[in-house]
Amino acid sequence: MSSSAREPDDDAADAVTLQGVRAELRRVRAGLVRIEEGLAALERDGAAPAPRARTQRRPRPERYLRLLVDVYERGGRHGLDSGAFGALGAAHGYDRRGLGGFFRGEHAPLALVEGRVQLTPEGARLVDEHLRELSA
Amino acid sequence: MSRERALVDGDWLEARLGDPGLAILEVDERPLVYNLGHVPGAHCVDWRRDLQDPVARDVPSPEAIRALWRRVGVGPRTTVVLYGDMSNWYPCFALWLFELYGLDDVRLLDGGRQAWLAERRPLATDAPPPADRADAPQPRLRPELRAHWPDVAGAAAHGVQLLDVRTPGEYRGELLAEPGYPQELAQRPGHVPGARNLPWDACVAPDGRLRSDAELRALLDERGVRLDAPAITYCRIGERSAHTWFVLHELLGMSEVRNYDGSWTEWGSMVGMPVVLGPDPGEPLDAASLSLPGLTR
């Protein structure tokens, strides 16, 4: 799976529960914030064409973001070993192939550092964004 | 100080939840994780808001520290237990700061948030109300725990141990900061002349807990650190070096160790201050070449 791809079951799984609806509402609110930021940036920069901003990337599913938060909280400074990461991923419904997507691409949120799973700066950014959404 | 006094584990803390003689404080690099669940009764301490002066680059004023202690329930005989994310990096800064201001009984939960979660211990999501302890102690500064840049310059000139606890890349001058910390940069990369590199996280086991005393002593010996000689720790902004200060001062009982909280963002930004690049400590600072105050220490 691509790190930015939304899996087909995510929408269906989210939509049938109150928690899912709330998660969707948070995503919509976050999307509005991103649009406002994009508009403000365009107004500030004179509407010049610009590379796709970080904040304009595709929203990630709730479970995707929760897994990143878990890596942050449970990995500490050194990160997680592959066994612990696999177990966390399974708890969020990801198989091995799905977990591989977290490490691929220019904006991969996770990296293997000396054999341990750690957030990249992009992963840390997603964690910060998600924590802000949860606290809104 | 000793490991038994300075460190507590999850069993110790869980058995004392609700003890009015205890103030439990969570200090996170990302304070919002507190909202996901925290040790029941723990207050959130925000390092940006609570652990530094709001205007000047400095530690909080005594009045601000006393107001913080009052809010989080620190009385004259309170045992303070600190814990947090990222293997207790920021809790150690809070611990150093509280001891700098004279608090006697401050301890660290070994492994911090990471260990508490791994052990599946109880969590709460409701924040306790402000404690409003009118008997919060009056801060008493202990200047012997803190180094300012003239102390560091003096140490560099006279062979006092300087421990740079940043990553090897930062020490060698290849990076100004670890990736992800773009706000905390000095003007120049490198290290203080004579400083040895001892990355702070070498003292932390993969599970987030501190290594055993024997492991720590072996590590320090391997890096040429003498426990019977004075030392100054520094990093980029003084937080990571507070962790190493905790290891040296609180766990291993080094009496003359100070934390330089100005650290590399101060030293590496001062005009005319000598800087060493590369993997070696470099020559001691030539005090005669500088007419700076403090070099006679």
Side-chain angles (χ1 to χ4, degrees):
Chain A
M1 162 191 134
S2 156
S3 63
S4 61
R6 188 170 168 78
E7 295 204 343
D9 60 335
D10 289 329
D11 287 324
D14 287 352
V16 295
T17 65
L18 180 59
Q19 191 181 13
V21 173
R22 286 190 170 137
E24 187 59 27
L25 183 58
R26 281 197 296 272
R27 280 196 288 272
V28 170
R29 283 180 175 147
L32 287 173
V33 169
R34 281 191 289 273
I35 291 169
E36 291 286 357
E37 288 175 352
L39 283 172
L42 285 171
E43 286 167 3
R44 192 171 56 243
D45 301 337
R52 191 175 183 191
R54 286 181 146 205
T55 52
Q56 291 173 321
R57 285 192 206 121
R58 188 195 306 266
R60 303 296 205 275
E62 179 83 6
R63 63 175 183 153
Y64 184 101
L65 298 167
R66 284 311 309 242
L67 177 56
L68 297 183
V69 171
D70 278 350
V71 169
Y72 174 72
E73 282 195 288
R74 294 166 188 274
R77 172 66 177 180
H78 293 299
L80 294 168
D81 63 40
S82 57
F85 176 64
L88 273 181
H92 288 285
Y94 286 100
D95 60 17
R96 286 176 60 86
R97 185 165 163 269
L99 291 176
F102 284 82
F103 299 86
R104 284 198 287 272
E106 184 186 357
H107 301 295
L110 297 177
L112 264 183
V113 180
E114 296 176 3
R116 301 186 70 87
V117 178
Q118 296 183 2
L119 293 177
T120 63
E122 171 66 6
R125 187 191 68 78
L126 288 169
V127 165
D128 284 333
E129 193 174 88
H130 186 54
L131 290 174
R132 280 196 298 272
E133 288 173 14
L134 290 175
S135 297
Chain B
M1 193 55 79
S2 66
R3 178 175 290 259
E4 292 69 31
R5 173 68 191 271
L7 268 186
V8 304
D9 62 18
D11 287 342
W12 187 97
L13 183 56
E14 188 171 348
R16 288 164 177 77
L17 294 178
D19 182 339
L22 209 62
I24 308 171
L25 311 182
E26 177 164 335
V27 193
D28 298 310
E29 182 180 21
R30 291 182 163 79
L32 291 175
V33 299
Y34 171 89
N35 298 335
L36 301 178
H38 49 263
V39 175
H43 290 265
C44 180
V45 172
D46 185 320
W47 68 271
R48 289 184 183 85
R49 187 187 64 214
D50 297 320
L51 301 182
Q52 56 184 334
D53 186 274
V55 180
R57 182 171 178 209
D58 206 346
V59 295
S61 67
E63 295 75 22
I65 283 291
R66 185 161 189 270
L68 172 62
W69 289 348
R70 179 173 181 145
R71 171 165 68 82
V72 300
V74 177
R77 284 173 295 281
T78 299
T79 296
V80 176
V81 176
L82 292 154
Y83 75 99
D85 61 7
M86 283 299 278
S87 307
N88 275 334
W89 165 349
Y90 282 94
C92 283
F93 181 78
L95 189 146
W96 168 78
L97 180 63
F98 287 4
E99 292 205 9
L100 178 70
Y101 272 126
L103 216 55
D104 290 325
D105 192 359
V106 196
R107 309 183 191 197
L108 190 71
L109 172 64
D110 197 11
R113 186 177 176 88
Q114 181 181 353
W116 190 265
L117 291 174
E119 293 164 355
R120 300 178 183 276
R121 296 189 184 274
L123 293 169
T125 52
D126 55 322
D132 196 21
R133 287 284 300 245
D135 62 345
Q138 195 64 43
R140 296 172 289 106
L141 194 63
R142 297 178 61 197
E144 71 273 16
L145 301 185
R146 188 186 195 194
H148 296 275
W149 71 261
D151 303 316
V152 177
H158 299 297
V160 174
Q161 296 185 103
L162 286 170
L163 304 179
D164 183 324
V165 308
R166 298 174 298 162
T167 59
E170 291 171 280
Y171 174 83
R172 291 191 297 262
E174 296 160 1
L175 303 169
L176 277 168
E178 288 182 273
Y181 297 91
Q183 310 301 322
E184 300 171 2
L185 302 181
Q187 291 297 307
R188 292 288 186 272
H191 59 264
V192 178
R196 294 172 186 273
N197 188 210
L198 174 69
W200 73 279
D201 53 10
C203 299
V204 178
D207 65 1
R209 292 178 175 82
L210 284 154
R211 297 192 185 279
S212 70
D213 284 2
E215 289 174 314
L216 292 171
R217 288 178 190 280
L219 170 73
L220 295 168
D221 186 56
E222 176 190 312
R223 303 291 176 119
V225 179
R226 287 181 53 196
L227 294 178
D228 60 349
I232 294 174
T233 61
Y234 75 89
C235 58
R236 189 175 60 249
I237 57 171
E239 273 86 353
R240 287 178 288 182
S241 50
H243 190 280
T244 306
W245 176 88
F246 176 83
V247 168
L248 298 174
H249 192 268
E250 305 290 288
L251 294 190
L252 301 180
M254 273 181 79
S255 57
E256 289 187 68
V257 53
R258 289 180 283 173
N259 182 28
Y260 171 36
D261 56 307
S263 272
W264 191 253
T265 50
E266 179 176 64
W267 186 279
S269 299
M270 285 193 286
V271 174
M273 195 59 77
V275 168
V276 175
L277 297 172
D280 299 320
E283 295 298 315
L285 188 149
D286 179 7
S289 69
L290 298 169
S291 56
L292 297 171
L295 293 186
T296 55
R297 283 182 64 96

